[in-house]
């Protein structure tokens, strides 16, 4: 009895196994004859041979190539126009603005960039702004936000989480919205004008809604005090982020797009994955079936130049793009599909040859014709 | 060594002279009575009480002690360090991610250990509180076991267990003996006799015992169960104290049980934790498996990689920052160093997942659970013994799959150790007892070569008496004994002979069949029923016990006529040198002849002792027995002086049959590429015969001898070089391909071996004999080492273990003499044999029979190896896949240690998303069927999964997959959108996309590797993928109130709502799996390994025939074709099917043209 009780002892946390019922028990210990215990469970035993894999390769080849071609064609049909308005060159229209930038200037610097669209853009056109060399995915940057404050939690509004440091308090007032992400929000204003051939310049209507995820706007972000509250009252006692020109409750005149649920703000708060990224800025709605949304011709981009990027050698772009079911212009997926499909098909052929040669050699002895 | 012995001897003798005060001895005052004044100073000594503490912890020290124990393991400590770093500095992931798994592991282990300890506490408690009868003031008083103290006189009744180590004083039997079974100590269920000192036998009642006035001097407790040296001093009315020796035969061990004796009185000498049983329990060194070692190596390698990555990244951070911000340059140097260091730590935290805690847990779980398949195996269950295989350490399961050298004992392992008396030979005349016919024993048949002469008659009488007297067999008069059962037919149908050695039983029984029946030992008189049904009585004066060094035993008896006779039986080599007369030549010839036939031979001799000689002998023996120090040595000396000048009587031959399927097993082991070495104490001829019988040596085997006989003729040096030349020449001729066409067998004996081993110590010898010997041994398919002492067995194992290739060794044996080799070898296997359970107790695995070794190695070992190899490699692979994208991401996030995946994914990846499939795989995978493995042992050697190329392949695959995941997602995200509403995704979607592809790829990769899909595999693999999806939906579907971030909110759903995300997931999974599939298919098609070939045939045959039949009948009615296909499906392999085909005229016609029988 002692001996068996000692058996359980183990050293240094190593698991020591005593067979079931260990020790000097004299009863019959015949193991049960179950399929599991005898390792005899019925099993399917597939083997990857050239023969079995062959069809799979051909099927993949035959499926992937058409998909790839489809994707490639779709991607090629998408129209995209990109213009850099950083003002790094002396020749560029925004050079002055980029040079004379100061945080406290009261009068915003404005510059106009003319461009020419060679093709008409049908259906909805999406306006993006793009930033380069901007590490929105930097660790300290990414975590510098308070989701509960953004969700409209009053307590977090007054006491922002310490993740927001050093952008949590300013002059002993809590910052709303707190954190580095909010503080660095993109605040250039972009406006588009179509220069009619007859000389008039038409302002193009830019839709501000529908640019953020629906769930973000309606669930994840919320103004403190509910939908219908008086925002300026609710945000009383907080201060605007250092770099902002306006407090958060003056982002938009439209109440449903103001405060934390402002879509520009929400879009900015979704940190980009890569240092070169674009974010949806506006949507140019399709006006009618007959006329293209953006006809061919001359345009002017009017920029209120607020956002400094030269300190980190960044770039700013404005992008116009149409969208298909698969999103924006991206030939990668199509090319990849075509490549993989062709490789599989090719391998299928190679394997067929191998299967014919080696298969016969290996197994000829067993049953042969 | 000798010198040390000598000094020890001197020292001890000095101490003996100097008033016999030993630091390492204790004096026990029986009944706590002071000795009479003047005899000795009464020094009451303090001993621990009889409390047994097997538990490790108490309630208050459990937490600190357990934590300390756990964090002593390097892996746990590493993770603790990571966790602390996360707590202290600002790191990318929250401490929860590494704290939670660590906490989980630590808690589970702590709970398990705590529970076990609680069980031990309970067991301790019940043992410590069980009642014990103690004699106090002439009365028997009942107390609790833990109150027992050294010096207490204890009364033990029949079937009770001894509460502590006791010295027997008296028993209810008149001769002061008692029977004890030590089944729970060493598994030997035979009854052993223990003796009381003759001077205390008379104290039979409580009162009498209490009046006993004596002290016991004995050594301090030591763990050897079979050794005890002590002395009892009995004081009687102012006389000189009587000193009597005490030995192991007087010491009743705790844990043993009293049998066949009503009650005994005994005095406690060792109590509590000082009992031999408690001492014995402590140290059994942990063997570490080679896989664990290699994975340890991998650990080092990968942590080196990790450090490398860390430093690269830290350096690049520095560059990055330096080039970007001018402010940093102004920072003082020290601050920069600190920054660099914290960055380094932060990277370490980010990449620590590459060595996950869960791997250690999974490996341990696999070993723990996997070992149950061994104990559950029905084929390894022995009906006769009623026991199956036992696993004592599950750490070594996979070692069973890599064994290169098998060291096996002969007696009891290869052979049954079930002795049968075959014949005896007296002075060259052979006697053969006849077989039993109809329960009647026929009279013995005697082949007489010579006419009866007086001398022969006398020798014959002496010979039979010698065999009847010279043994330690007991007669057991009752029915059930679990040891060796032998019915004594004449008169006492319910009596059995019991002995610890089956040879003796066989001999005594053989004698009985020849007409001389040993009846019993009564009052020191041995009674024999001779041929004429007369009872002869011999007084037993001394027993000179058997030991493996002397290899003989003797008794000194006084016959009824008053003659003193010494009978000796032993191995021929130990008897012949001591023989002075007798027909040595004839006996020797017969012995050799028998040995060649594989029989075990013993020689019998006697010596007539004159009264003065006897007295001299008695003096020697008593002196030696009384000695407290070096008793063994002195006894050996005494034996040596007494056992000489023998007259040779004759020899016996006992057969030890081969175990069932021993030859088949050996053959399989050979085919599996293992080298089998037989290590035995037996003599060369017998052992060689067994080797031939068990197919270790075949007729074609060229035997190389390296024996004493040969080395006497030539010098050892010459023999060795000659042999090595022979072997090497053969190898150079045969080259690599036909290396097995002519195999060598080597026979070496103990004397030569020790000469070879000694050569190293002398050092000056030309060339290193060890190396040459190893070289020869390595090139022989079978080696027989005979005349081995137990320690030499271990030496050989050690020698091979330490050789260049560091092969994995396995030792298998059944007796106490194999324990040393079992402990020495990488894997020790014990056979639950007849010579007790010591081997089984000390082994890593215990099996009932030798034949079970085949399944143990070829099937279980092979499986475990494959499984654990895949487990370890796969873990590295999946974590490379997991962490490498993270590494790549650092180049795109300014080296800021930004994690790519969400915290939940980081934490759960190894714990739940990818843990179960691999665990299950490592439990049930069968890449080749059991039958196939058993049928084709050569598959065993194709195990080489933990080699570096394989590891590199896995790592490359992991890196490739990681690159595919990361850059696939990168190009998809690169400066564009892939939603149909133009909205953008952020970094968490990026990570989730990579992670989704990762989980699917890694799981499907395992699915590709699985060759044995049971329903559990399906359930677990598809289940864990489903779980991932459901978890992600849930995790992103709710604003979690307890989290301070909602970064994953709707990320997964948004991703799934985009078509290109689906397309890219499918594409990336395909691309990452493609290389592995291609590699598998190509390798199989171009140069299939033995394993791969073994997987195919049965299936292939089936496919081919289906294909053919399908093609054949395509023009026929398709329904008909289906039926035939069905038929083929169910009956493909059976002969009956083909007969059916032949008997059906139309079918036969067609099938003859298109398919032939599979075995044609």
């Amino acid at each position: 009895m002692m001996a068996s009780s000692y058996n359980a002892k183990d050293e240094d946390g190593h698991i020591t196994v005593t067979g079931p019922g260990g020790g000097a028990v004299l009863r019959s210990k015949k193991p049960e004859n179950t399929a599991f215990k005898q390792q005899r469970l019925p099993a399917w035993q597939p083997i990857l041979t050239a023969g079995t894999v062959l069809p799979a390769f051909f099927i993949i080849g035959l499926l992937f190539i058409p998909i790839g071609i489809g994707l490639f064609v779709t991607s090629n049909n998408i129209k995209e126009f990109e213009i850099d308005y950083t003002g790094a060159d002396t020749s560029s229209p925004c050079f002055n603005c980029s040079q004379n930038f100061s945080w406290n200037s009261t009068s915003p610097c404005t510059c106009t960039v003319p461009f020419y669209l060679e093709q008409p853009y049908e259906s909805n056109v999406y306006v993006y702004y793009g930033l380069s060399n901007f590490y929105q995915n930097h660790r300290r940057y990414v975590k510098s936000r308070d989701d509960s404050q953004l969700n409209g939690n009053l307590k977090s509004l007054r006491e922002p989480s310490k993740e927001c440091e050093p952008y949590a308090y300013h002059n002993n007032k809590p910052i709303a919205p707190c954190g580095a992400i909010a503080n660095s929000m993109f605040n250039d204003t972009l406006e588009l004008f179509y220069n009619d051939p007859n000389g008039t310049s038409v302002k193009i209507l830019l839709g501000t809604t529908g640019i953020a995820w629906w769930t973000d706007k309606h669930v994840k972000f919320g103004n403190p005090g509910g939908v219908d509250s008086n925002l300026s009252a609710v945000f009383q006692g907080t201060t605007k982020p250092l770099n902002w020109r306006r407090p958060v409750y003056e982002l938009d005149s439209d109440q449903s797009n103001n405060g934390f649920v402002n879509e520009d703000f929400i879009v900015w708060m979704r940190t980009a994955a890569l240092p070169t990224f674009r974010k949806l800025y506006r949507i140019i709605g399709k006006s009618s079936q007959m006329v293209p949304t953006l006809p061919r011709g001359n345009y002017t981009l009017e920029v209120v130049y607020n956002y400094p990027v030269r300190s980190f050698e960044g770039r700013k772009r404005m992008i116009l793009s149409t969208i298909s079911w698969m999103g924006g212009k991206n030939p990668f997926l199509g090319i990849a599909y075509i490549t993989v499909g062709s490789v599989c098909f090719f391998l299928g052929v190679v394997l067929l040859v191998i299967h014919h040669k080696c298969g016969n050699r290996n197994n000829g002895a067993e049953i042969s014709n | 060594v000798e010198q040390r012995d000598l000094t020890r001897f001197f020292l001890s003798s000095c101490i003996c002279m100097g008033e016999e005060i030993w630091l390492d001895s204790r004096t026990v005052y029986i009944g706590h009575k002071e000795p009479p004044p003047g005899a000795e100073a009464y020094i009451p000594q303090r001993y621990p009480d009889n409390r047994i503490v097997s538990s490790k912890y108490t309630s208050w020290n459990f937490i600190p002690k357990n934590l300390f124990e756990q964090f002593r393991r390097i892996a746990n400590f590493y993770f603790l360090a990571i966790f602390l770093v996360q707590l202290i500095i600002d790191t990318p992931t929250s401490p929860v991610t590494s704290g939670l798994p660590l906490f989980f592991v630590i808690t589970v282990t702590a709970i398990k250990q705590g529970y076990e300890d609680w069980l031990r506490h309970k067991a301790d408690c019940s043992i410590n509180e069980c009642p014990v009868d103690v004699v106090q003031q002439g009365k028997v008083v009942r107390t609790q076991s833990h109150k027992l103290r050294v010096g207490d006189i204890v009364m033990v009744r029949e079937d009770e267990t001894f509460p502590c180590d006791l010295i027997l004083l008296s028993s209810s039997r008149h001769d002061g003996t008692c029977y004890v079974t030590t089944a729970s100590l060493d598994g030997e269920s035979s009854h052993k006799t223990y003796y009381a000192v003759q001077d205390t036998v008379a104290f039979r009642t409580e009162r009498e015992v209490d009046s006993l006035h004596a002290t016991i001097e004995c050594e301090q407790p030591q763990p050897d169960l079979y050794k005890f040296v002590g002395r009892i001093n009995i004081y009687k009315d102012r006389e000189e104290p009587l000193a009597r020796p005490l030995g192991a035969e007087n010491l009743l061990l705790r844990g043993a049980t009293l049998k066949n004796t009503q009650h005994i009185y005994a005095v406690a000498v060792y109590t509590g934790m000082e009992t031999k049983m408690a001492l014995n329990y402590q140290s059994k060194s942990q063997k570490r498996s080679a896989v664990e070692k290699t994975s340890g190596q991998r650990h080092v390698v990968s942590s080196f990689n990790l450090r490398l990555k860390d430093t690269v990244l830290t350096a690049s951070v520095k560059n990055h920052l330096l080039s970007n911000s001018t402010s940093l340059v102004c920072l003082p140097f020290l601050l920069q160093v600190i920054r660099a260091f914290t960055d380094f730590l932060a990277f370490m935290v980010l990449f620590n997942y590459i060595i996950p805690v869960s791997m250690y847990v999974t490996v341990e779980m696999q070993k723990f659970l996997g070992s149950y398949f061994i104990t559950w195996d029905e084929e390894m269950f022995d009906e006769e013994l009623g026991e199956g295989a036992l696993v004592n350490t599950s750490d070594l399961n996979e070692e069973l799959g890599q064994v290169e050298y098998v060291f096996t004992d002969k007696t009891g392992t290869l052979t049954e150790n079930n002795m049968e008396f075959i014949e005896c030979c007296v002075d060259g005349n052979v006697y053969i007892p006849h077989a039993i016919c109809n329960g009647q024993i026929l009279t013995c048949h005697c082949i007489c070569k010579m006419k009866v002469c007086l001398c022969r008659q006398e020798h014959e009488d002496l010979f039979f008496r010698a065999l009847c007297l010279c043994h330690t067999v007991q007669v057991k008069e009752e029915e059930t004994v679990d040891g060796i059962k032998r019915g004594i037919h004449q008169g006492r149908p319910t009596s059995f002979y019991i002995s610890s050695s089956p040879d003796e039983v066989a001999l005594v029984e053989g004698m009985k069949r020849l007409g001389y029946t040993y009846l019993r030992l009564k009052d020191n008189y041995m009674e024999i029923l001779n041929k004429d049904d007369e009872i002869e009585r011999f007084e037993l004066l001394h027993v000179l016990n058997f030991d493996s060094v002397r290899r003989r035993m003797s008794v000194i008896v006084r016959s009824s006529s008053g003659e003193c006779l010494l009978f000796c039986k032993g191995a021929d080599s130990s008897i012949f040198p001591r023989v002075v007369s007798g027909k040595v030549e004839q006996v020797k010839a017969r012995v050799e002849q028998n040995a060649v036939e594989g029989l075990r031979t013993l020689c019998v001799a006697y010596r007539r002792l004159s009264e003065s000689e006897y007295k001299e002998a008695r003096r020697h023996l008593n002196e030696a027995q009384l000695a407290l120090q070096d008793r063994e040595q002195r006894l050996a000396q005494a034996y040596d002086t007494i056992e000489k000048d023998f007259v040779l009587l004759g020899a016996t031959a006992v057969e030890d049959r081969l175990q069932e399927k021993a030859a088949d097993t050996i053959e399989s082991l050979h085919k599996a590429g293992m080298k089998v070495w037989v290590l035995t104490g037996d003599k060369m001829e017998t052992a060689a015969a067994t080797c031939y019988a068990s197919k270790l040596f075949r007729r074609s085997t060229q035997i190389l001898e390296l024996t004493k006989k040969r080395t006497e003729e030539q010098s050892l040096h010459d023999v060795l070089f000659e042999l090595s030349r022979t072997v090497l020449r053969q190898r150079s001729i045969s080259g690599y391909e036909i290396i097995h066409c002519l195999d060598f067998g080597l026979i070496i004996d103990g004397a030569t071996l020790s000469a070879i081993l000694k050569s190293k110590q002398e050092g000056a010898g030309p060339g290193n004999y060890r190396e040459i010997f190893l070289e020869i041994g390595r090139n022989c398919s079978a080696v027989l080492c005979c005349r081995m002492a137990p320690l030499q067995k271990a030496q050989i194992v050690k020698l091979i273990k330490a050789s260049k290739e560091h092969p994995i060794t396995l030792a298998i044996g059944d007796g106490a003499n194999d324990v040393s080799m079992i402990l020495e070898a990488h894997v020790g296997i014990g056979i639950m044999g007849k010579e007790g359970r010591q081997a089984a107790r000390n082994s890593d695995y215990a099996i009932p029979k030798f034949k079970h070794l085949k399944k143990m190695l070829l099937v279980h070992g092979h499986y475990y190896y494959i499984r654990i190899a895949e487990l370890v490699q796969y873990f590295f692979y999946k974590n490379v896949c997991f962490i490498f994208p993270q590494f790549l991401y650092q180049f795109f996030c300014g080296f800021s240690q930004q994690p790519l995946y969400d915290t939940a994914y980081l934490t759960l990846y190894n714990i739940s998303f990818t843990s179960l499939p691999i665990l299950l795989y490592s439990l049930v995978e069968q890449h080749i069927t059991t039958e196939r493995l058993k049928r084709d042992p050569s598959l065993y050697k194709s195990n080489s999964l933990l080699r570096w190329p394989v590891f590199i392949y896995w790592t490359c695959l992991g890196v490739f997959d990681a690159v595919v995941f990361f850059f696939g997602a990168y190009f998809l995200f690169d400066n564009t959108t892939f939603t149909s509403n133009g909205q953008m995704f952020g970094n968490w979607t990026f990570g989730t996309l990579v992670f989704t592809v990762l989980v699917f790829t890694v799981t499907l990769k395992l699915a590709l590797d699985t060759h044995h899909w049971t329903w559990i595999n399906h359930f677990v693999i598809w289940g864990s993928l489903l779980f991932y999806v459901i978890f992600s939906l849930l995790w992103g579907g709710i604003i979690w109130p307890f989290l301070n971030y909602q970064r994953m909110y709707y990320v997964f759903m948004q991703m799934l709502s985009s078509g290109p995300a689906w397309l890219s997931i499918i594409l990336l999974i395909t691309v990452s799996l493609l290389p592995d599939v291609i590699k598998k298919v190509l390798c199989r098609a171009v140069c299939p390994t033995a394993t791969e070939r073994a997987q195919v045939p049965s299936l292939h045959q089936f496919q081919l025939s289906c294909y053919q039949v399908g093609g054949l009948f395509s023009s026929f009615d398709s329904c008909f074709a289906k039926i035939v296909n069905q038929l083929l499906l169910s009956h493909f392999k059976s002969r009956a099917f083909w007969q059916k085909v032949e008997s059906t005229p139309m079918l036969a016609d067609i099938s003859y043209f298109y398919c032939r029988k599979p075995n044609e």
Side-chain angles (χ1 to χ4, degrees), chain A residues 1-3 5-20 27-31 33 36-50 52-53 57 60 64 67 71 126 128 135 137-140 142-143 147 151 163 210-213 215 219-220 270-280 317 323-330 332-333 336-337 340 343-344 347 351 354 358 361-363 366-369, chain B residues 52 54 56 69 72-73 90-92 112-113 116 120 123 126-127 184 277 281 286 364 368 371-373 375-378 381 383 386-387 391-392 394-395 860 867 889 892-894 896-898 926 929 968 970-972 975-988 990 1008 1011-1014 1016 1039 1045-1047 1049-1051 1054 1060 1063-1064 1066-1067 1070-1071 1074 1077-1078 1080-1082 1084-1086 1095 1100-1101 1104 1108 1154 1158:
Chain A
M1 183 185 177
M2 273 299 296
S5 73
Y6 267 104
N7 276 345
K9 199 164 181 171
D10 59 349
E11 275 98 31
D12 306 335
H14 277 277
I15 296 163
T16 336
V17 180
T18 323
R27 74 188 157 81
S28 172
K29 289 180 291 187
K30 192 169 171 67
N33 183 13
F36 176 68
K37 288 189 174 181
Q38 301 305 323
Q39 307 197 51
R40 259 189 254 118
L41 278 178
W44 172 52
Q45 293 171 316
I47 292 169
L48 288 180
T49 58
T52 47
V53 172
F57 273 93
I60 290 176
F64 274 27
I67 293 177
L71 285 169
Y126 294 76
Y128 296 89
Y135 284 83
N137 56 9
H138 193 282
R139 178 167 62 85
R140 303 207 183 157
V142 168
K143 70 173 186 175
D147 277 335
N151 195 26
E163 299 284 351
I211 58 173
W213 293 10
T215 48
V219 187
K220 191 172 164 183
R270 181 154 297 281
T271 48
L274 299 167
T276 299
F277 60 91
R278 59 170 75 166
K279 281 180 187 291
L280 188 54
R317 289 160 297 145
I323 289 285
S324 71
W325 64 271
M326 59 158 283
K329 197 179 187 73
N330 188 359
F332 161 71
L333 214 50
Y337 260 93
V340 173
V343 166
C344 279
L347 283 172
L351 285 180
I354 288 174
C358 297
R361 189 189 66 205
N362 286 345
N363 312 307
E366 306 275 349
I367 306 173
S368 53
N369 265 356
Chain B
I52 278 281
S54 63
K56 263 203 233 166
E69 294 266 312
R72 265 195 342 195
R73 298 190 69 191
D90 173 42
T91 54
K112 181 181 148 275
Q113 290 182 349
E116 279 173 3
R120 281 195 288 262
S126 68
I127 283 161
S184 57
M277 189 184 113
Y281 191 72
Q286 202 85 38
E364 291 222 330
F368 176 77
S371 60
Y372 274 87
F373 284 116
T375 52
W376 280 337
D377 195 329
E378 211 183 14
F381 180 81
E383 298 283 351
E387 281 192 78
V391 179
N392 295 327
S394 55
D395 279 345
H860 288 291
R867 290 167 185 174
Y889 192 53
F892 297 92
C893 71
S896 60
Q897 304 114 36
Q898 167 64 21
Q926 295 179 21
T929 57
Y970 176 82
F971 285 119
L972 191 69
N975 209 14
T976 184
T977 178
F978 54 91
T979 52
S980 50
N981 57 7
Q983 290 166 359
M984 297 301 297
F985 288 145
N987 63 325
W988 298 116
F990 185 83
L1008 282 180
H1011 293 108
H1012 192 78
W1013 285 82
T1014 61
I1016 317 176
I1039 295 276
Y1045 56 84
Q1046 307 297 341
R1047 53 171 89 127
Y1049 185 66
Y1050 255 71
V1051 162
Q1054 285 282 357
L1063 285 176
S1064 60
I1066 292 167
L1067 175 82
T1070 317
V1071 173
L1074 206 58
V1077 173
I1078 292 168
K1080 280 201 171 93
V1081 172
L1082 282 187
R1084 182 181 288 281
V1086 177
Q1095 288 166 344
H1100 184 83
Q1101 273 185 344
L1104 245 178
Q1108 284 169 340
Y1154 289 96

Side-chain angles (χ1 to χ4, degrees), chain A residues 52-298:
Chain A
T52 47
V53 172
L54 262 177
F57 273 93
F58 283 119
I59 290 168
I60 290 176
L62 290 177
L63 273 178
F64 274 27
I65 293 174
I67 293 177
I69 291 171
L71 285 169
F72 191 69
V73 169
T74 319
S75 168
N76 273 356
N77 284 339
I78 289 167
K79 292 170 191 131
E80 196 175 277
F81 177 80
E82 190 171 314
I83 187 164
D84 187 319
Y85 67 93
T86 320
D89 296 332
T90 43
S91 59
S92 88
C94 289
F95 180 71
N96 280 337
C97 285
S98 70
Q99 288 299 305
N100 305 331
F101 178 80
S102 90
W103 286 108
N104 349 321
S105 67
T106 42
S107 59
C109 177
T110 312
C111 54
T112 52
V113 186
F115 62 92
Y116 178 72
L117 282 186
E118 284 170 352
Q119 289 167 308
Y121 282 48
E122 277 105 11
S123 84
N124 287 350
V125 177
Y126 294 76
V127 184
Y128 296 89
Y129 59 88
L131 292 173
S132 300
N133 205 22
F134 189 105
Y135 284 83
Q136 240 204 340
N137 56 9
H138 193 282
R139 178 167 62 85
R140 303 207 183 157
Y141 183 87
V142 168
K143 70 173 186 175
S144 184
R145 63 193 284 162
D146 184 350
D147 277 335
S148 114
Q149 190 192 47
L150 296 176
N151 195 26
N153 187 316
L154 280 167
K155 186 165 170 285
S156 302
L157 187 69
R158 307 284 163 215
E159 296 162 21
S161 135
K162 69 174 192 308
E163 299 284 351
C164 286
E165 296 289 357
Y167 299 102
Y169 292 95
H170 182 62
N171 292 337
N172 283 332
K173 279 184 177 171
I175 296 175
C178 73
I181 311 179
N183 190 46
S184 61
M185 185 177 154
F186 182 80
N187 57 357
D188 279 0
T189 311
L190 307 177
E191 283 189 326
L192 280 175
F193 295 92
Y194 174 58
N195 301 330
D196 238 343
N198 53 22
T200 55
S201 163
V202 183
K203 187 176 176 182
I204 294 165
L205 218 70
L206 301 176
T208 55
T209 53
I211 58 173
W213 293 10
W214 188 91
T215 48
D216 278 3
K217 184 172 167 82
H218 293 93
V219 187
K220 191 172 164 183
F221 288 76
N223 280 320
V227 187
D228 302 320
S229 59
N230 182 358
L231 284 182
S232 59
V234 174
F235 282 103
Q236 190 79 48
T238 63
T239 181
K240 68 175 177 64
L242 293 178
N243 290 348
W244 285 24
R245 295 180 187 277
R246 292 171 288 189
V248 67
Y249 48 86
E250 286 172 19
L251 284 176
D252 199 316
S253 53
D254 178 9
Q255 185 71 6
S256 66
N257 193 25
N258 200 3
F260 289 154
V261 293
N262 177 273
E263 293 202 21
D264 286 332
F265 175 65
I266 295 173
V267 164
W268 181 257
M269 291 306 283
R270 181 154 297 281
T271 48
L274 299 167
T276 299
F277 60 91
R278 59 170 75 166
K279 281 180 187 291
L280 188 54
Y281 184 65
R282 293 291 181 262
I283 298 169
I284 308 169
K286 181 165 60 174
S287 47
S288 74
Q289 291 293 338
M290 307 310 289
V291 205
T293 323
L294 294 180
R296 213 172 107 132
N298 283 311

